[in-house]
């Protein structure tokens, strides 16, 4: 096997609020499951459509104001999901 094939590709994603591109491990992932449920995916491997957001309260509040998850998922996302994302980002800022 050649050296090029042995290297793993770095998975980059963009924040739905600020559009900054970073490694996917630096983001929170919000998922819409095949059953239609929304939740924060801490492991980053849950089944379903995902949208990524920075771990900053500023980005979470901007996403709520602009309804960025509604755009990403192409449907209305419950307000409590936005609130859960804001609460989760507050935990990261306390660290």
């Amino acid at each position: 096997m050649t050296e090029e094939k042995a290297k793993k590709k770095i998975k980059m994603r963009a924040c739905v609020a600020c559009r900054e591109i970073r490694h996917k491990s630096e983001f929170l992932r919000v998922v819409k499951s095949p059953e239609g449920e929304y939740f924060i995916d801490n492991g980053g491997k849950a089944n379903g459509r995902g949208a990524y957001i920075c771990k900053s309260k500023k980005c979470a509040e901007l996403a709520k104001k602009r309804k960025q998850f509604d755009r990403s998922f192409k449907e209305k996302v419950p307000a409590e999901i936005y609130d859960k994302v804001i609460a989760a980002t507050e935990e990261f800022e306390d660290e």
Side-chain angles (χ1 to χ4, degrees):
M1 187 160 31
T2 64
E3 204 173 302
E4 288 180 27
K5 286 185 178 181
K7 289 183 183 178
K8 280 201 165 209
K9 191 172 183 179
I10 298 172
K11 296 180 171 135
M12 305 296 278
R13 298 292 185 265
C15 174
V16 296
C18 68
R19 306 304 301 161
E20 189 172 322
I21 297 172
R22 296 190 207 156
H23 189 270
K24 73 181 229 175
S25 65
E26 296 179 39
F27 291 111
L28 279 177
R29 181 174 185 241
V30 177
V31 177
K32 178 187 174 196
S33 71
E35 293 80 32
E37 297 175 45
Y38 291 95
F39 60 94
I40 296 174
D41 176 22
N42 295 321
K45 298 200 183 241
N47 244 359
R49 172 87 171 132
Y52 294 84
I53 188 163
C54 295
K55 294 177 180 178
S56 76
K57 187 175 180 181
K58 185 177 115 184
C59 280
E61 289 173 345
L62 186 61
K64 183 176 183 177
K65 180 181 173 185
R66 294 182 180 168
K67 300 185 188 290
Q68 292 299 125
F69 291 123
D70 292 17
R71 291 180 189 201
S72 292
F73 296 115
K74 297 179 180 147
E75 66 179 39
K76 182 141 177 53
V77 175
E80 58 263 12
I81 296 302
Y82 287 102
D83 296 335
K84 285 181 182 180
V85 170
I86 291 170
T89 58
E90 288 173 351
E91 290 175 24
F92 287 106
E93 290 183 355
D94 290 341
E95 291 178 352

